Amino acid sequence: MEHPENSEEYKGLTVNKGIEQPSIVNPYLKHRKKVRRRQFSVGEFVEGIVKGDVTVLSQAVTLVESVKPEHQAVAQEVIEKCLPYSGKSMRIGISGVPGAGKSTSIDVFGLHVLEKGGKLAVLAIDPSSERSKGSILGDKTRMEKLSVHPKSFIRPSPSAGSLGGVARKTRETIILCEAAGFDKIFVETVGVGQSETAVHSMVDFFLLIQLAGTGDELQGIKRGIMEMADGIVINKADGSNIEKAKLAASHFRNALHLFPAPDSGWSPKVLTYSGFYGIGIKEIWDMIYEYFDFVKANGYFDYRRNEQAKYWMYESINEHLRDSFYNNERIAAMLPVKEREVLNGQLTSFVAAKKLLDAYFEMMK
Ligand code: GDP
């Protein structure tokens, strides 16, 4: 006998008589108030993070990024308690101009290293996010494979505040990620200058992604950025571009010879690869591992981390002093007045600054 569902009349959605269908809308739903998620206590945060709970980690990072003083207070306590569990990762900065292939490359670099085990966090410092109010870097959608990998954690750039503030938050996020067991951390940034310095101040290895251009590729790149690089990699070495990429690599090698030897004693390497086709990825990782072995053996690894810790102490002091000054209500009221007096020629800039600072320090007594 033919199955009734194969007959032409069967529409697939017939409701048998006598059976009452449940209401689609839950009648109680509308009465339910929107429940705010309870914020974890410091202890719960730390416990969750150390267990590697990514949901707890995400919420902690949100607190780190928050400008609310009550959030900051909890965040700072959580960071302090996570510190003993941190410090054990490979921190790698990755920089390149838009279109250089950062997201494509991070996707393949990340998958490659995760095949060997471990966990990878991708963070970002995006100096433009302050203006655009939205961050492009570290966006999950740009790293297709990595974003769905169970051992990865991708977080876009914090968007509020000055570059210094954004960088501090990223540095604090590194600590939380390390406490959560992430043993590789990528910090991505756009190759425009200042943000590189910020990234350089928080990573062990700085990788610069470049493209082969028309032969004058060295012109557009700032000397300071090249000097920071521990490795320069020329992307898109595929198809008809291979020879150009090799040529660019030799230009970079020659240029690097002209720089003074870096403090690390390591000679920065220049490699070509293709992120899109996955060519030359192993060689890049070999270089990174070789670097870590080298600087751990000669003591530079610890030296650099100590220098960075010192740098961040002073950066924190500067940031807090600045915030305390500018957020002071009386100072905020005086600022436009003094500004006008300077513009009118009634006061010099220096006298105006001194009056404001004197007033501030008087209030702090
Ligand atoms: P980002 O702006 O630095 O993050 O760059 P993307 O990763 O978004 O890459 C920019 C463009 O370059 C995209 O269209 C990529 O498909 C392309 N691209 C990235 N890597 C390669 C590569 O190795 N070879 C080629 N031919 N194209 C690539």
Side-chain angles (χ1 to χ4, degrees), residues 97-104 142 188 235-236 238 274-277:
V97 293
K102 290 180 295 303
S103 26
T104 314
R142 293 162 64 240
E188 180 191 9
N235 190 17
K236 310 194 187 182
D238 46 54
S274 166
F276 190 75
Y277 293 98

Side-chain angles (χ1 to χ4, degrees), residues 42-61 78-79 82 85 119 175-182:
V42 171
E44 287 168 328
F45 266 125
V46 177
E47 196 190 322
I49 290 171
V50 173
K51 264 201 303 200
D53 186 326
V54 176
T55 315
V56 180
L57 173 65
S58 288
Q59 282 194 45
V61 174
V78 173
I79 293 164
C82 282
Y85 304 97
K119 299 204 287 181
I175 293 168
L176 299 184
C177 291
E178 288 177 345
F182 287 86

Side-chain angles (χ1 to χ4, degrees), residues 201-347:
S201 67
M202 64 180 81
V203 297
D204 307 310
F205 185 94
F206 191 80
L207 187 72
L208 185 60
I209 299 181
Q210 287 290 308
L211 292 177
T214 48
D216 60 357
E217 52 270 350
L218 291 175
Q219 285 181 3
I221 155 167
K222 292 200 186 71
R223 186 194 155 107
I225 299 182
M226 250 182 98
E227 265 177 292
M228 272 188 256
D230 300 298
I232 296 177
V233 286
I234 322 278
N235 190 17
K236 310 194 187 182
D238 46 54
S240 57
N241 214 14
I242 295 180
E243 285 312 312
K244 266 200 269 175
K246 281 188 184 158
L247 189 65
S250 71
H251 284 156
F252 276 110
R253 278 186 204 109
N254 290 338
L256 282 172
H257 281 310
L258 304 175
F259 291 165
D263 294 344
S264 57
W266 164 262
S267 312
K269 290 197 165 37
V270 184
L271 301 172
T272 61
Y273 78 110
S274 166
F276 190 75
Y277 293 98
I279 305 165
I281 311 301
K282 181 183 177 296
E283 287 73 8
I284 294 176
W285 273 110
D286 287 346
M287 163 177 71
I288 295 173
Y289 278 112
E290 193 189 329
Y291 172 87
F292 275 85
D293 287 345
F294 182 83
V295 292
K296 280 190 173 165
N298 74 4
Y300 182 76
F301 180 84
D302 290 327
Y303 168 79
R304 181 156 162 177
R305 286 225 172 159
N306 286 339
E307 286 296 301
Q308 290 174 340
K310 224 162 61 179
Y311 171 85
W312 283 101
M313 185 183 91
Y314 287 107
E315 276 296 296
S316 290
I317 294 174
N318 294 344
E319 199 192 330
H320 281 111
L321 283 177
R322 218 174 11 236
D323 285 353
S324 162
F325 178 79
Y326 286 108
N327 294 339
N328 182 294
E329 277 178 24
R330 279 178 57 196
I331 294 296
M334 280 172 79
L335 275 169
V337 181
K338 291 286 167 249
E339 198 182 296
R340 231 173 299 126
E341 289 175 356
V342 169
L343 293 178
N344 292 341
Q346 287 165 275
L347 282 182

Side-chain angles (χ1 to χ4, degrees), residues 105-116 120 145-146 149 186 285:
S105 306
I106 289 174
D107 216 23
V108 286
F109 292 166
L111 285 182
H112 182 92
V113 80
L114 284 174
E115 271 171 25
K116 297 196 179 76
L120 167 70
K145 300 201 187 77
L146 213 51
H149 197 290
F186 287 168
W285 273 110

Side-chain angles (χ1 to χ4, degrees), residues 65-117:
E65 292 174 354
S66 167
V67 288
K68 289 194 179 151
E70 64 269 29
H71 288 169
Q72 274 302 310
V74 178
Q76 291 309 318
E77 239 186 287
V78 173
I79 293 164
E80 202 184 314
K81 296 218 159 63
C82 282
L83 260 180
Y85 304 97
S86 73
K88 294 182 201 79
S89 80
M90 294 168 82
R91 304 170 181 167
I92 298 165
I94 298 179
S95 175
V97 293
K102 290 180 295 303
S103 26
T104 314
S105 306
I106 289 174
D107 216 23
V108 286
F109 292 166
L111 285 182
H112 182 92
V113 80
L114 284 174
E115 271 171 25
K116 297 196 179 76

